[in-house]
C-alpha cells in the first residue's frame, strides 16, 4: 500500500504538469483572450495595452513558465474579471460544490443500493419491473427540466423550499435531488445487473446450501464481489460532480465551481480557469487513488503497484 | 427537446437481453428461468424494440419525405399551437416555432442527428475505452500507470473547455460533435473495463486457462471480455441517451 501511494505521488506530479500545459493550450485554442476583455469598439492601442498589462504579449511558452514559477509559490494570478486572487476565488467556491456533490452522492447510494439489490433478487417480478421503470425515468429526465419543475412545484406552488441560493439545508434539497436523480437511476441499473450476475455464481449457491441467511449472503458475499464496477462508477461520478454540475448550479443559482468555471470560460478569465482546472486535477488524482485502494480491499488478489503486472506477459 | 422519445428506448436494452446469454462464465450455473419470467423479460424487450424501431423508421422516412421542408420559414404562421389545442392548423400537427417552421418536420429530421450522435459517439468512446481499459487492467504495470494517468488528465480537463477548444480548432458539424463526445467519454469506459478486468484476471478459470498455456489474446477475448461486458453494456446504453442530451445542450 505504501509503495502504491509513493508511486502514485510522483505520477501525480506528472499528471498535474500535463494538465496545466494542456489547459494552457486549450484556452488559447478557444480564441484570443484579449477580445473578451476589451469593449467592442476598442482600438488597436487598447488591445495592445491590455495585452501588455496581463502579460499576454509574450510567447505562450514564456507565459507558461512565468505561470509555473508563480504557481509553485502558491500564486495563480489575479482574476481578469474580479481583480482578486484566482486561487482563493476557486477555493471559496469549493466548499459549496463539495457539499452538494457529497450530499447528492450519499443520497444516490442510500436509495440505489437497497433498491438495486432487491431488484436483482426479484428479477423479472413486480418489484424489479417497478424499480427498472423508475430507474428508466430517472435517467431520461434532463436535469434542467427536473430542476425547473421542482422549483415551480416546491418553491412556487407549495412554497416549502427556497428557489435558489445556498447557506441553509433547505436550499440544498432541490439541487441535490436534481443531481442525484440521474445517478440513482444509473446506479440502480448497474447494481441490479452486477448483483444479478454474482447471484448465479457457485459460491452463492454454496453459501445458500450452508444455510446462511439471504441477508448475510447479500451483504457479505454478493455485494463485495459485484462492487468493483459500482465503486468505479461512484468514483467517476464524484469527480464529475466536483468539476461542478453546471446546469444544476445555474438553475438553482448555487455558487459552486461549475458556475464559476463556465463564467470564466465565457469571459476568458485565464487565471481562474487555470486555478480551477488544477484544483480539480488534484481531486481527480486523489479520488482515483482512493478507488484503486478500495479495489484491493474488496478483492485482495488485486495488486496495483508496479511489478505485479509482469506475470501477464509470460 | 427533439430527443424526448429517444432517451427512453435505450434503457430497454441493457443487461438482460444483450449480455445474459453472451457470457459463458464457467463460474455460473445454468439455471433455467421459469417460463412466466421469460415471458415478462421478452415483453419488455419487445416494447423496447418497438420504440427503437419506430424512431429509426421516422429517421429513415425523414431522409426522403417530411410534411414540409424542415427549414422553410414563414412568419405569417409563426407559433401555431399543436393539434390538441385550439386554433391549430391541420397542416402543422405539432405546430410551428417562432420562425414559422413546421415542428413535426424538424422533429423527424432531428431524429437522424440524435440517433447518429448517440450511437456513433458511444461506439467511438466505447471502443477506445474498452481497448485501453483491457490493456491497462490485463498487462498492469507500466501500461496501467500510463493509461490510467492519461485518464486522470482527461478527467481533470473540463468537458466544456475541451468541447469549445476542439470544435473551434476542427470546426463544428455533426461528425466533429461525435468525435468530441466520444473522445471525452472514453475515460469512463476505460476505468470501468480496467476495474472489471482486474477483478476477473485473478479468477480461477482465467488462471486455469493460463495454466494450460492459453495465449494472452485468447485469454482476453475468450475469458475476460465476456465477463466484463455486462457492466460495460449498462454504461454504454445509458450513455447513448445522455450523449444525445449533451448534443442538444
Amino acid at each position: 500500500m505504501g509503495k502504491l501511494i509513493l508511486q502514485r505521488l510522483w505520477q501525480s506530479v506528472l499528471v498535474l504538469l500535463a494538465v496545466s500545459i494542456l489547459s494552457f493550450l486549450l484556452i488559447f485554442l478557444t480564441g484570443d483572450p484579449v477580445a473578451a476583455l476589451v469593449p467592442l469598439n476598442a482600438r488597436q492601442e487598447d488591445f495592445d495595452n491590455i495585452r501588455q498589462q496581463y502579460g499576454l504579449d509574450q510567447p505562450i511558452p514564456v507565459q507558461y513558465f512565468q505561470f509555473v514559477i508563480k504557481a509553485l509559490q502558491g500564486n495563480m494570478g489575479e482574476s481578469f474579471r474580479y481583480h482578486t486572487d484566482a486561487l482563493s476565488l476557486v477555493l471559496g467556491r469549493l466548499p459549496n460544490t463539495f457539499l452538494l456533490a457529497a450530499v447528492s452522492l450519499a443520497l444516490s447510494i442510500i436509495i440505489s443500493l437497497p433498491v438495486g439489490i432487491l431488484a436483482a433478487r426479484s428479477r423479472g417480478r413486480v418489484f424489479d419491473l417497478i424499480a427498472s421503470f423508475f430507474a428508466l425515468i430517472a435517467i431520461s429526465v434532463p436535469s434542467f427540466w427536473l430542476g425547473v419543475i421542482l422549483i415551480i412545484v416546491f418553491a412556487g406552488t407549495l412554497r416549502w423550499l427556497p428557489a435558489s441560493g445556498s447557506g441553509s439545508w433547505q436550499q440544498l434539497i432541490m439541487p441535490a435531488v436534481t443531481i442525484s436523480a440521474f445517478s440513482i437511476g444509473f446506479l440502480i441499473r448497474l447494481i441490479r445487473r452486477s448483483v444479478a450476475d454474482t447471484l448465479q455464481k457457485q459460491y452463492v449457491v454454496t453459501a445458500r446450501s450452508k444455510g446462511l441467511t439471504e441477508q448475510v449472503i447479500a451483504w457479505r458475499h454478493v455485494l463485495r464481489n459485484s462492487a468493483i464496477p459500482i465503486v468505479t462508477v461512484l468514483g467517476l461520478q464524484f469527480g464529475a460532480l466536483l468539476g461542478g454540475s453546471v446546469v444544476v448550479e445555474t438553475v438553482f443559482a448555487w455558487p459552486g465551481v461549475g458556475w464559476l468555471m463556465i463564467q470564466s470560460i465565457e469571459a476568458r478569465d485565464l487565471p481562474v480557469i487555470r486555478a480551477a482546472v488544477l484544483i480539480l486535477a488534484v481531486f481527480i488524482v486523489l479520488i482515483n487513488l482512493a478507488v484503486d485502494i478500495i479495489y484491493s480491499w474488496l478483492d485482495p488478489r488485486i495488486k496495483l503497484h508496479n511489478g505485479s503486472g509482469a506475470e501477464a506477459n509470460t | 427537446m427533439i430527443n424526448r422519445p429517444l432517451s427512453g428506448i435505450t434503457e430497454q436494452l441493457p443487461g438482460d437481453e444483450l449480455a445474459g446469454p453472451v457470457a459463458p462464465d464457467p463460474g455460473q450455473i445454468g439455471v433455467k428461468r421459469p417460463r412466466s419470467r421469460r415471458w415478462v423479460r421478452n415483453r419488455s424487450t419487445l416494447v423496447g424494440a418497438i420504440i427503437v424501431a419506430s424512431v429509426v423508421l421516422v429517421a429513415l422516412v425523414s431522409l426522403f419525405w417530411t410534411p414540409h421542408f424542415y427549414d422553410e420559414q414563414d412568419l405569417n404562421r409563426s407559433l401555431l399551437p399543436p393539434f390538441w389545442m385550439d386554433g391549430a392548423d391541420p397542416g402543422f400537427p405539432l405546430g410551428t416555432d417562432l420562425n414559422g417552421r413546421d415542428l413535426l418536420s424538424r422533429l423527424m429530421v432531428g431524429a437522424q442527428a440524435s440517433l447518429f450522435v448517440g450511437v456513433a459517439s458511444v461506439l467511438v468512446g466505447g471502443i477506445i475505452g474498452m481497448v485501453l481499459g483491457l490493456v491497462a487492467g490485463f498487462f498492469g504495470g507500466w501500461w496501467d500507470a500510463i493509461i490510467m494517468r492519461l485518464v486522470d488528465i482527461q478527467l481533470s480537463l473540463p468537458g466544456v473547455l475541451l468541447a469549445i477548444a476542439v470544435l473551434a480548432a476542427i470546426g463544428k458539424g455533426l461528425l466533429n460533435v461525435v468525435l468530441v463526445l466520444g473522445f471525452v467519454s472514453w475515460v469512463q469506459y476505460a476505468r470501468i473495463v480496467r476495474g472489471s478486468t482486474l477483478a476477473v484476471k485473478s479468477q480461477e478459470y482465467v488462471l486455469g486457462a493460463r495454466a494450460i498455456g492459453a495465449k494472452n489474446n485468447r485469454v482476453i477475448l475468450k475469458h475476460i471480455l465476456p465477463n466484463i461486458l455486462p457492466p460495460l453494456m449498462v454504461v454504454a446504453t445509458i450513455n447513448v441517451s445522455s450523449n444525445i442530451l449533451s448534443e442538444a445542450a
Side-chain angles (χ1 to χ4, degrees):
Chain A
M1 176 92 87
K3 199 178 164 193
L4 172 70
I5 294 176
L6 219 72
Q7 248 172 17
R8 280 300 183 82
L9 208 63
W10 74 261
Q11 289 176 3
S12 308
V13 176
L14 294 183
V15 168
L16 291 184
L17 207 64
V19 167
S20 67
I21 294 176
L22 278 173
S23 62
F24 222 87
L25 292 177
L26 283 176
I27 297 169
F28 285 105
L29 267 185
T30 61
D32 185 1
V34 181
L37 293 169
V38 295
L40 276 178
N41 55 358
R43 292 160 303 160
Q44 189 57 40
E45 298 107 84
D46 300 332
F47 269 86
D48 296 341
N49 278 339
I50 291 196
R51 212 179 285 278
Q52 209 162 20
Q53 190 189 336
Y54 291 114
L56 294 169
D57 51 343
Q58 312 273 351
I60 293 179
V62 177
Q63 285 185 43
Y64 178 71
F65 280 112
Q66 286 171 344
F67 164 74
V68 171
I69 289 166
K70 277 191 184 164
L72 286 176
Q73 299 160 347
N75 176 7
M76 299 251 190
E78 198 177 73
S79 161
F80 292 170
R81 248 165 38 120
Y82 300 98
H83 300 288
T84 52
D85 182 44
L87 188 60
S88 24
L89 202 61
V90 176
L91 290 179
R93 296 290 189 92
L94 201 58
N96 279 330
T97 295
F98 199 86
L99 181 69
L100 187 56
V103 171
S104 315
L105 214 59
L107 191 66
S108 321
I109 298 172
I110 291 171
I111 296 179
S112 60
L113 207 54
V115 174
I117 294 176
L118 269 180
R121 278 172 37 184
S122 62
R123 242 179 128 179
R125 292 203 294 268
V126 177
F127 182 82
D128 181 30
L129 287 182
I130 296 173
S132 299
F133 181 71
F134 276 103
L136 168 70
I137 291 184
I139 295 166
S140 313
V141 167
S143 52
F144 53 86
W145 184 84
L146 181 61
V148 171
I149 292 293
L150 284 179
I151 290 181
I152 293 175
V153 173
F154 290 100
T157 314
L158 296 172
R159 298 193 178 280
W160 285 352
L161 295 167
S164 63
S166 72
S168 66
W169 64 269
Q170 288 101 330
Q171 280 159 324
L172 188 59
I173 296 178
M174 287 199 292
V177 169
T178 310
I179 290 181
S180 41
F182 176 79
S183 17
I184 288 174
F186 191 170
L187 284 170
I188 287 180
R189 294 202 75 94
L190 192 68
I191 292 169
R192 167 179 173 273
R193 180 69 212 172
S194 305
V195 168
D197 266 5
T198 316
L199 277 175
Q200 297 182 335
K201 302 265 165 149
Q202 274 162 348
Y203 52 78
V204 174
V205 180
T206 312
R208 221 172 250 146
S209 58
K210 277 199 308 193
L212 295 183
T213 62
E214 287 295 318
Q215 232 56 22
V216 175
I217 294 174
W219 292 98
R220 284 278 284 288
H221 296 263
V222 175
L223 202 55
R224 199 177 173 124
N225 280 292
S226 37
I228 283 188
I230 301 168
V231 171
T232 314
V233 168
L234 282 175
L236 286 169
Q237 200 73 19
F238 194 45
L241 290 182
L242 284 185
S245 20
V246 180
V247 174
V248 173
E249 286 182 4
T250 313
V251 169
F252 292 101
W254 182 268
V257 179
W259 204 13
L260 181 69
M261 178 81 91
I262 284 295
Q263 288 175 330
S264 307
I265 289 176
E266 273 170 5
R268 304 282 187 275
D269 195 344
L270 310 193
V272 179
I273 304 177
R274 286 168 199 155
V277 169
L278 276 184
I279 297 287
L280 179 62
V282 171
F283 276 104
I284 296 282
V285 165
L286 287 177
I287 291 171
N288 284 348
L289 177 60
V291 167
D292 282 0
I293 292 175
I294 296 175
Y295 282 169
S296 39
W297 173 74
L298 284 169
D299 187 343
R301 287 172 298 193
I302 294 180
K303 291 195 184 62
L304 284 161
H305 51 77
N306 263 347
S308 69
E311 95 271 33
N313 295 316
T314 54
Chain B
M1 285 317 309
I2 335 173
N3 307 306
R4 250 36 291 291
L6 255 183
S7 43
I9 44 158
T10 51
E11 294 322 309
Q12 298 293 341
L13 292 172
D16 331 28
E17 307 81 41
L18 281 178
V22 186
D25 177 354
Q28 283 181 2
I29 295 172
V31 187
K32 222 174 183 181
R33 271 166 228 286
R35 178 161 297 172
S36 61
R37 280 206 232 167
R38 251 185 296 165
W39 184 75
V40 171
R41 229 173 73 169
N42 289 343
R43 193 176 46 173
S44 55
T45 314
L46 187 69
V47 173
I50 290 174
I51 301 176
V52 177
S54 47
V55 177
V56 172
L57 189 71
V58 167
L60 284 178
V61 167
S62 74
L63 286 175
F64 308 105
W65 177 82
T66 49
H68 299 267
F69 181 59
Y70 72 95
D71 229 7
E72 181 188 296
Q73 301 191 5
D74 181 355
L75 293 178
N76 288 329
R77 48 164 213 244
S78 91
L79 292 177
L80 282 178
F83 68 87
W84 60 85
M85 290 164 81
D86 289 337
D89 182 332
F92 302 89
L94 294 185
T96 55
D97 68 3
L98 195 63
N99 296 323
R101 296 174 294 194
D102 178 38
L103 282 179
L104 177 63
S105 307
R106 295 181 70 73
L107 192 75
M108 289 173 68
V109 175
Q112 292 170 23
S114 292
L115 271 182
F116 176 68
V117 168
V119 174
S121 62
V122 166
L123 280 180
V124 172
I127 289 173
I128 301 177
M130 192 174 77
V131 171
L132 290 180
L134 271 172
V135 170
F138 187 76
F139 293 108
W142 281 105
W143 286 107
D144 188 39
I146 292 170
I147 295 173
M148 283 305 120
R149 295 304 78 76
L150 278 179
V151 167
D152 286 355
I153 293 171
Q154 167 91 71
L155 282 175
S156 310
L157 296 170
V160 195
L161 183 61
L162 214 62
I164 297 177
V166 175
L167 291 182
I170 62 177
K172 295 200 169 76
L174 223 48
L175 196 63
N176 292 341
V177 172
V178 167
L179 288 178
V180 168
L181 283 176
F183 196 67
V184 171
S185 60
W186 73 272
V187 286
Q188 297 178 37
Y189 304 103
R191 274 202 74 82
I192 290 163
V193 166
R194 166 193 177 254
S196 312
T197 306
L198 284 173
V200 172
K201 193 170 98 172
S202 46
Q203 299 279 333
E204 291 84 353
Y205 52 86
V206 175
L207 298 178
R210 282 233 194 99
I212 58 168
K215 294 265 190 325
N216 278 343
N217 51 6
R218 191 183 156 80
V219 173
I220 292 178
L221 288 179
K222 290 265 167 181
H223 299 276
I224 293 186
L225 196 58
N227 285 298
I228 60 169
L229 273 181
L232 188 66
M233 279 331 226
V234 175
V235 178
T237 45
I238 287 173
N239 269 342
V240 172
S241 55
S242 58
N243 279 359
I244 289 173
L245 287 177
S246 346
E247 186 247 336

